[in-house]
Amino acid sequence: MRRGNADGPAPLVLLAEDDPDVRETTQLLLLRRGWCVTPTADGVDALAAVDVEVPDVAVVDVAMPRMNGLDLTARLTALGIPVVLLTARSLPVDEVSGLAAGADDYVTKPFDADVLSARLHAVLRRARGVVSEAVTIGDVRIDLRARRVERNGVPVSLTSVEFRVLEALLRERGAVLSREQVVAMAWDSTWQDPRIVDTNVQRLRRKLGAEVVETVRGFGYRIEADRA
């Protein structure tokens, strides 16, 4: 039986990872963050687990025996199950292959557990239609799909980097994200200098208003849930 609270049962993650150490560690990290987890060792076992209980979302390793992660992703997405790929690869061709197979997102190893959890929540919200592509924060309106920002009805020009930072915070609004988490979500990597987040938050505040992005001292940044 799934754990739960007043809001209902905890979301169930199907974890397909052939490395037993990575599988056990990932399962433990997700459990600590409130997820329920069905661990499996490869694509064949993962599909068998789906027959027993359909998960809310899946975390799938790319390189697995018997059935690789891309083939499994195609099978799962055909069933309407959103997928986050877990891979040690970081080449653009791997990202393209994963998204072409139907994956909703991907995280490269080694990964930050909070980032993985945040990505899973974001994927679930998109799958359930909870994330609105048009967001209003006070006198600021942000259209994520059109990548258009207006303040008091007047268009505001943002650089691509400013928009990446803003979108990462919006996708996880209500949650406090560290600079490292914003970098991982905005660039799908961790090579960027985390100070780039500080610089662009300052620029966003100048353009959109100081109240849009909150600083939580010692932790990071947040866009309040009730403002969006």
Side-chain angles (χ1 to χ4, degrees), residues 12-213:
L12 177 63
V13 177
L14 173 66
L15 173 60
E17 166 62 65
D18 65 304
D19 185 309
D21 292 332
V22 176
R23 184 171 63 249
E24 182 178 353
T25 300
T26 304
Q27 178 183 6
L28 179 60
L29 292 172
L30 290 175
L31 288 172
R32 287 176 176 173
R33 284 156 179 79
W35 299 86
C36 290
V37 182
T38 299
T40 61
D42 57 43
V44 175
D45 288 347
L47 290 177
V50 171
D51 288 336
V52 176
E53 185 173 14
V54 178
D56 296 291
V57 64
V59 174
V60 175
D61 182 40
V62 171
M64 293 188 296
R66 295 207 290 175
M67 179 185 294
N68 66 47
L70 298 182
D71 290 339
L72 175 59
T73 294
R75 297 283 293 273
L76 293 175
T77 55
L79 297 173
I81 300 169
V83 174
V84 174
L85 285 176
L86 188 61
T87 174
R89 304 172 182 176
S90 58
L91 296 175
V93 66
D94 297 312
E95 175 186 354
V96 171
S97 298
L99 297 178
D104 297 84
D105 206 342
Y106 78 101
V107 176
T108 55
K109 302 175 186 175
F111 61 89
D112 182 292
D114 289 328
V115 170
L116 176 59
S117 183
R119 295 283 183 91
L120 289 171
H121 279 298
V123 164
L124 268 184
R125 284 199 298 271
R126 290 197 294 269
R128 294 170 176 174
V130 176
V131 172
S132 172
E133 294 300 321
V135 179
T136 299
I137 308 172
D139 59 5
V140 176
R141 186 179 187 277
I142 304 143
D143 189 325
L144 296 178
R145 185 181 298 278
R147 302 183 72 82
R148 183 190 303 275
V149 179
E150 297 178 351
R151 187 178 185 186
N152 289 319
V154 178
V156 177
S157 177
L158 298 183
T159 67
S160 61
V161 176
E162 290 166 355
F163 196 91
R164 285 186 181 197
V165 171
L166 178 62
E167 183 175 18
L169 291 167
L170 280 174
R171 291 293 185 187
E172 294 304 315
R173 58 188 182 269
V176 179
L177 298 182
S178 68
R179 296 183 302 172
E180 291 77 13
Q181 289 171 327
V182 173
V183 165
M185 295 180 68
W187 283 273
D188 294 319
S189 69
T190 56
W191 66 266
Q192 292 279 356
D193 186 336
R195 289 175 294 184
I196 194 173
V197 177
D198 300 331
T199 300
N200 284 277
V201 165
Q202 292 173 9
R203 292 173 178 171
L204 287 170
R205 286 171 172 161
R206 285 198 297 267
K207 292 181 178 182
L208 305 180
E211 73 284 354
V212 171
V213 180

Side-chain angles (χ1 to χ4, degrees), residues 214-226:
E214 175 190 0
T215 297
V216 181
R217 293 191 180 278
F219 294 96
Y221 298 106
R222 168 176 59 196
I223 291 178
E224 288 284 5
D226 59 359

